[in-house]
Amino acid sequence: NNETYVISKYIEKPLLIGGRKFDLRLFALVTSYRPLKVYFYSKGFARFSNVKYTNERDQMNNTEVHLTNVAIQKHSDDYNPNHGNKWSFDNVILYIQSNFGNEKADIMMKKIKEIIIYSCSAVKNV
């Protein structure tokens, strides 16, 4: 049976910055799969939603609350095209260090790099 499935779970209590959801846009360069060689580019960024997060049922379809894409956010009255709802990844790390401590920031970086490696390993035979 060659069916394709997408499996995901909505994060019920996401980490918020300024009460808003965000996602990280990070980049890695894979130069080899055998052996696996991955270079992490540390100048990524975070993209934020315009509207403060809520998990209220009547807001579950509000894309300005739950999605961070510019294609969606740029239509909001609060969208600022000068900064595009972005923070540098360095600012995100600084925020994590300031609010949760250096050890948590280091753990986060380690886990991000592990996810990159696991993701690359998962597709190396494709």
Side-chain angles (χ1 to χ4, degrees):
N1 189 337
N2 289 332
E3 295 182 40
T4 302
Y5 297 92
V6 176
I7 299 173
S8 63
K9 181 182 179 196
Y10 191 80
I11 299 172
E12 294 177 27
K13 293 182 180 180
L15 175 63
L16 306 173
I17 294 179
R20 291 171 168 75
K21 285 183 73 173
F22 66 98
D23 65 33
L24 296 176
R25 311 291 174 101
L26 303 174
F27 307 95
L29 172 65
V30 180
T31 59
S32 172
Y33 279 95
R34 286 197 174 85
L36 182 60
K37 257 191 186 175
V38 181
Y39 296 90
F40 178 73
Y41 181 64
S42 61
K43 298 298 178 193
F45 60 93
R47 177 89 61 193
F48 291 83
S49 63
N50 281 316
V51 179
K52 288 196 174 193
Y53 175 77
T54 177
N55 62 0
E56 296 296 321
R57 237 190 211 322
D58 65 336
Q59 292 295 309
M60 290 309 283
N61 290 324
N62 184 341
T63 55
E64 290 182 6
V65 171
H66 299 284
L67 301 177
T68 62
N69 308 58
V70 172
I72 292 165
Q73 297 298 326
K74 70 181 179 182
H75 299 291
S76 173
D77 293 337
D78 296 333
Y79 182 73
N80 182 333
N82 294 324
H83 64 69
N85 291 9
K86 287 194 293 191
W87 272 14
S88 70
F89 187 56
D90 289 339
N91 283 345
V92 173
I93 295 297
L94 184 60
Y95 175 87
I96 298 297
Q97 290 170 333
S98 299
N99 288 277
F100 303 101
N102 290 339
E103 183 179 347
K104 292 288 186 186
D106 292 343
I107 290 169
M108 182 185 80
M109 282 305 305
K110 181 177 184 257
K111 289 183 182 246
I112 286 171
K113 290 178 178 178
E114 285 174 356
I115 290 168
I116 292 169
I117 291 169
Y118 294 147
S119 299
C120 291
S121 296
V123 298
K124 71 180 178 184
N125 293 325
V126 175

